[in-house]
Amino acid sequence: MVRAQFLSFFFFVTFSVFILSSVSSDAADTEIKTNKKKQPNIVFIFADDLGYGDIGLFGGIGIETPNIDALGQQGIKFTDFYAVSPVCTPSRAALLTGRYPIRYGIHSVFFPRSFTGLPESEITIPEILNKAGYISGIFGKWHLGHREKFLPLQQGFDEFFGTPYSNDMNSYVYIEGNDVVQWTVDQQFLTQTLTHKAVDFIDRHHDQPFFLYIPHPMPHVPLFASPEFQGTSKRGLYGDVVQELDWSVGEIIKALKEKEILNNTLIIFSSDNGPWLTMGNAGGDAVPLRGGKQSTFEGGMRVPTVAMWPDEVNPGQVIQTPLTMMDWLPTFANLAGVSLPDNLVLDGADISSIMQGGGKDGTYLIKDREFAYYYGGKLQAYRLGDWKLKLAQPKHAKNYPAWINWLSLRVLRGQETFQPHELLLFNMRQDKQEKYNLAHNNPEKVKEIQQAIQVFQDSLGEVPEKLNVGNYKFIQDDNRVLFDAIFFVLKWAAGIISICIFAIGWFIARKVYRRKT
């Protein structure tokens, strides 16, 4: 009897342990799968020279952008998001490295004649994510060095199809991997071609975590839209181009839905810098901000940015905390579960807790956020919390006649990039248009920011020399004013000469025709 009870108890305990261990094993397996599921796909869509006022959600008029707007409405609209440079190459470098480009010598745009690129020693987003099992692809404009050792496959990407630099530069080709695959590019179909390539990447890699980087060459001048989008907007060809970019965003969303991975995908849309105002109607709009591309006023560096991640980000958020492109690398690393190297010096911050904060604007997490506005390797402004100090822009060392300065300003169309001004202090929360200089009435705040600038510059330590991008030395610094004036005169002279030639030709042809008749 006792033996029978013992055996019964023994089998009961054994069976219970087996059941519990099975449940624990299943729970452990579930936990692992949950962790894997929470490792999001990341899609980063980058426009080129898109203005703050060119998107409907940011107050844009005459351009319909329902897909881009939906990202912000169903996710986050960032009102104070900054590119790290008002021009292309440094901005893209900062995005991929999480560091100010001044740290590695990138001050300006690379050209076809440039023999340099993003230093191989820099650690990039795809290199970080690859450690977590991500596959990374880029489909679009690279512009961080077109020599083979600087191309995307040598910077951590697994796939690359796109163009080496801006679409107004010579030798504009399609590159796949490390090889030129097409020597001429029909720019009418740039956006469509890159979109199809990106969708194909999603189709092939939907069953593993991926980082998809889509840096569109548009709406950089010269503008091109495919035939079905030409004439569809109320803002001419520029609007047509932006509406085609919006279509592209819609195609990416559709592909993610079809593969049932949209909910676990973080999608971000932004621009590399502000609009190219010198191009007039072809250059976009920064309203209500001041300035544009090549300017360290807000219009040159504050860019329209939205993000959506259905599983983790509450819809309808508006985040006003100053954030930057450099924040994405540490944020992506955290979301992917990757520990960053201890010796990696970053200038960005992990903003995942702000994004997942349920609608809070994150000021409690990043108090008095600081940001340095660089252009051409020179610090031109500094933001500390709600305040921005625009450093004095001295008069040009070469004292050009007033008419040359006037012509230069006409070329810049009020952009004021190279125009002198006194020390300026603005309250960004109350005056994002930068209309009211408060420097004279707030000497203590000026001093506080100047001290913050000194601390920041000291923290940089010794920075390397500027990389030689092969730019013409004449078009630099003080000479720029003279160059702009000459450009203005030549442009109008060329137009007048063309009209004269046409008129003379028409007059001669008419005279010859009359003689014959």
Side-chain angles (χ1 to χ4, degrees):
M1 180 75 177
V2 174
R3 186 183 179 194
Q5 289 177 335
F6 172 78
L7 288 173
S8 176
F9 177 76
F10 173 80
F11 284 123
F12 173 78
V13 171
T14 303
F15 180 76
S16 299
V17 170
F18 173 77
I19 292 297
L20 287 172
S21 64
S22 299
V23 171
S24 299
S25 176
D26 289 342
D29 288 343
T30 302
E31 183 64 26
I32 291 171
K33 290 176 182 177
T34 301
N35 288 338
K36 285 184 178 180
K37 190 174 182 180
K38 286 185 176 180
Q39 196 178 47
N41 305 305
I42 300 169
V43 177
F44 196 99
I45 305 171
F46 223 13
D48 194 343
D49 293 358
L50 184 72
Y52 196 87
D54 292 329
I55 300 298
L57 192 62
F58 288 79
I61 299 174
I63 303 177
E64 296 182 6
T65 53
N67 294 304
I68 299 171
D69 294 345
L71 294 179
Q73 293 161 347
Q74 298 171 27
I76 305 171
K77 173 187 175 182
F78 298 94
T79 63
D80 292 45
F81 208 99
Y82 289 93
V84 183
S85 171
V87 292
C88 181
T89 299
S91 175
R92 292 160 194 269
L95 164 67
L96 289 180
T97 64
R99 290 154 50 85
Y100 282 108
I102 193 77
R103 289 188 182 275
Y104 39 90
I106 295 182
H107 296 185
S108 56
V109 172
F110 292 160
F111 294 89
R113 57 185 175 274
S114 301
F115 285 85
T116 189
L118 180 66
E120 299 157 277
S121 58
E122 288 298 313
I123 298 175
T124 65
I125 288 174
E127 288 174 328
I128 293 292
L129 296 181
N130 287 354
K131 296 178 182 178
Y134 279 68
I135 188 164
S136 299
I138 167 176
F139 302 94
K141 172 182 171 181
W142 175 236
H143 215 169
L144 290 173
H146 59 281
R147 306 290 165 175
E148 182 171 335
K149 67 178 181 177
F150 299 119
L151 288 175
L153 298 194
Q154 285 65 255
Q155 303 284 5
F157 286 97
D158 299 292
E159 297 184 22
F160 169 48
F161 180 92
T163 58
Y165 30 67
S166 296
N167 68 329
D168 61 342
M169 295 182 177
N170 296 327
S171 303
Y172 196 62
V173 298
Y174 274 135
I175 298 175
E176 186 165 19
N178 291 322
D179 302 315
V180 174
V181 293
Q182 194 169 320
W183 291 96
T184 57
V185 175
D186 186 347
Q187 294 199 43
Q188 278 193 106
F189 300 102
L190 257 176
T191 299
Q192 286 197 12
T193 299
L194 298 173
T195 301
H196 295 325
K197 292 287 185 179
V199 168
D200 177 64
F201 178 87
I202 294 171
D203 290 342
R204 290 184 288 109
H205 300 297
H206 66 274
D207 56 351
Q208 69 177 109
F210 60 76
F211 171 52
L212 173 57
Y213 177 38
I214 313 171
H216 283 288
M218 295 291 161
H220 190 286
V221 176
L223 299 172
F224 291 91
S226 58
E228 52 265 51
F229 284 93
Q230 293 173 15
T232 60
S233 81
K234 296 178 182 178
R235 279 183 49 190
L237 183 55
Y238 183 89
D240 301 343
V241 168
V242 175
Q243 290 189 175
E244 186 166 17
L245 291 180
D246 184 78
W247 163 84
S248 175
V249 172
E251 291 299 295
I252 298 300
I253 294 173
K254 186 192 302 182
L256 295 169
K257 280 183 179 178
E258 289 176 354
K259 296 302 178 183
E260 299 182 348
I261 56 174
L262 176 63
N263 288 346
N264 193 40
T265 300
L266 170 60
I267 309 173
I268 300 158
F269 179 91
S270 191
S271 179
D272 66 339
N273 47 249
W276 206 349
L277 299 182
T278 61
M279 296 298 169
N281 293 335
D285 193 352
V287 172
L289 307 178
R290 178 178 178 178
K293 179 177 180 176
Q294 298 178 315
S295 168
T296 49
F297 286 107
E298 291 295 284
M301 297 176 68
R302 193 192 294 201
V303 289
T305 304
V306 291
M308 182 181 78
W309 182 11
D311 270 356
E312 296 292 332
V313 170
N314 290 336
Q317 294 188 58
V318 177
I319 294 180
Q320 299 180 14
T321 300
L323 305 172
T324 84
M325 294 297 170
M326 297 180 293
D327 295 331
W328 291 124
L329 184 147
T331 301
F332 294 165
N334 179 47
L335 296 178
V338 180
S339 297
L340 296 170
D342 293 335
N343 61 346
L344 179 59
V345 178
L346 292 177
D347 296 301
D350 174 12
I351 62 172
S352 57
S353 57
I354 299 178
M355 295 172 62
Q356 296 169 290
K360 297 178 182 178
D361 71 1
T363 52
Y364 63 99
L365 291 170
I366 306 180
K367 185 179 180 182
D368 291 335
R369 186 74 192 274
E370 300 183 25
F371 176 62
Y373 299 69
Y374 275 96
Y375 178 53
K378 295 179 180 179
L379 182 66
Q380 295 193 358
Y382 201 83
R383 180 162 176 174
L384 178 62
D386 290 341
W387 294 86
K388 175 181 177 180
L389 188 68
K390 188 83 163 60
L391 303 182
Q393 184 77 15
K395 290 185 178 180
H396 306 289
K398 297 182 180 179
N399 191 20
Y400 294 115
W403 67 271
I404 288 184
N405 286 318
W406 182 87
L407 285 177
S408 175
L409 188 56
R410 299 289 75 71
V411 174
L412 294 170
R413 292 179 180 267
Q415 189 168 304
E416 305 169 285
T417 306
F418 303 98
Q419 298 304 309
H421 59 71
E422 63 178 334
L423 187 73
L424 305 173
L425 178 68
F426 304 109
N427 186 302
M428 290 288 94
R429 199 59 59 213
Q430 300 173 0
D431 178 28
K432 62 183 177 183
Q433 295 93 345
E434 298 175 289
K435 289 183 177 180
Y436 307 106
N437 181 14
L438 305 177
H440 299 297
N441 297 328
N442 294 271
E444 292 302 316
K445 181 58 68 174
V446 170
K447 184 177 179 181
E448 179 187 356
I449 300 177
Q450 288 173 332
Q451 290 173 344
I453 290 174
Q454 188 60 55
V455 171
F456 164 73
Q457 291 181 319
D458 290 344
S459 71
L460 291 177
E462 187 176 352
V463 295
E465 291 289 325
K466 171 186 176 181
L467 293 179
N468 182 5
V469 298
N471 200 0
Y472 299 120
K473 291 184 177 180
F474 174 76
I475 313 175
Q476 299 292 324
D477 303 324
D478 300 323
N479 286 322
R480 184 62 190 247
V481 175
L482 181 59
F483 172 78
D484 287 332
I486 294 172
F487 176 79
F488 182 89
V489 171
L490 291 178
K491 182 174 72 171
W492 280 97
I496 292 171
I497 291 171
S498 298
I499 293 172
C500 291
I501 292 174
F502 175 81
I504 292 170
W506 180 83
F507 177 79
I508 293 173
R510 187 180 178 189
K511 205 165 187 180
V512 170
Y513 175 77
R514 282 183 174 179
R515 282 182 181 178
K516 287 184 177 180
T517 56

